[in-house]
Amino acid sequence: RSYSAQFTFNGTTNPVYLKLDDAECASVRLYVNGEYVGIKYWEPNVFDMTKFIKPGKNKAEIILSTTLFNVMGPNRISGILESSFVGPGTFLQMDRFTRKYTLVPFGMGRVVVGR
């Protein structure tokens, strides 16, 4: 899923950071003005945008990536979201089988730009 926004930057000598609150995903990539800023695989999802922004109008693009968990499973294992490891053996844990289908959340909450 891709999100983009334009913003105006008035300029400063202080570092400028972009922080993603509530990002539910496997990874987050950030591009500013078409340039690759970086990728994060876990929180905190904080990017230093200082050398990528310019005075005036700027464009930020945030790309969230997910996994195949919601397609491939193991979606019918109770407590699967609390598991610290999922592997081939997880699919065989029939003692944890449940009829309830579990989906991993995916999406983004709040974005904060600050110094």
Side-chain angles (χ1 to χ4, degrees):
R1 173 121 197 177
S2 173
Y3 301 89
S4 63
Q6 291 190 1
F7 61 96
T8 301
F9 179 65
N10 296 327
T12 180
T13 56
N14 297 329
V16 178
Y17 297 94
L18 179 119
K19 179 183 178 192
L20 298 169
D21 288 340
D22 307 322
E24 296 281 355
C25 57
S27 68
V28 179
R29 283 179 286 155
L30 175 64
Y31 293 84
V32 174
N33 298 321
E35 292 188 61
Y36 176 73
V37 176
I39 189 167
K40 303 289 180 180
Y41 295 101
W42 50 82
E43 294 181 342
N45 295 308
V46 178
F47 296 89
D48 184 348
M49 308 190 311
T50 309
K51 68 180 184 179
F52 300 96
I53 58 176
K54 60 184 192 264
K57 291 188 178 189
N58 292 269
K59 181 180 179 183
E61 182 179 17
I62 300 166
I63 300 172
L64 304 181
S65 298
T66 188
T67 67
L68 290 176
F69 182 92
N70 288 342
V71 177
M72 305 290 292
N75 306 90
R76 295 187 185 269
I77 303 293
S78 64
I80 194 64
L81 295 181
E82 291 79 32
S83 296
S84 59
F85 175 79
V86 174
T90 309
F91 289 87
L92 304 175
Q93 296 176 352
M94 297 312 291
D95 58 321
R96 292 177 59 194
F97 178 81
T98 179
R99 293 200 180 276
K100 183 180 176 191
Y101 198 85
T102 302
L103 293 176
V104 173
F106 179 70
M108 185 172 64
R110 194 169 65 118
V111 177
V112 178
V113 176
R115 300 177 191 160

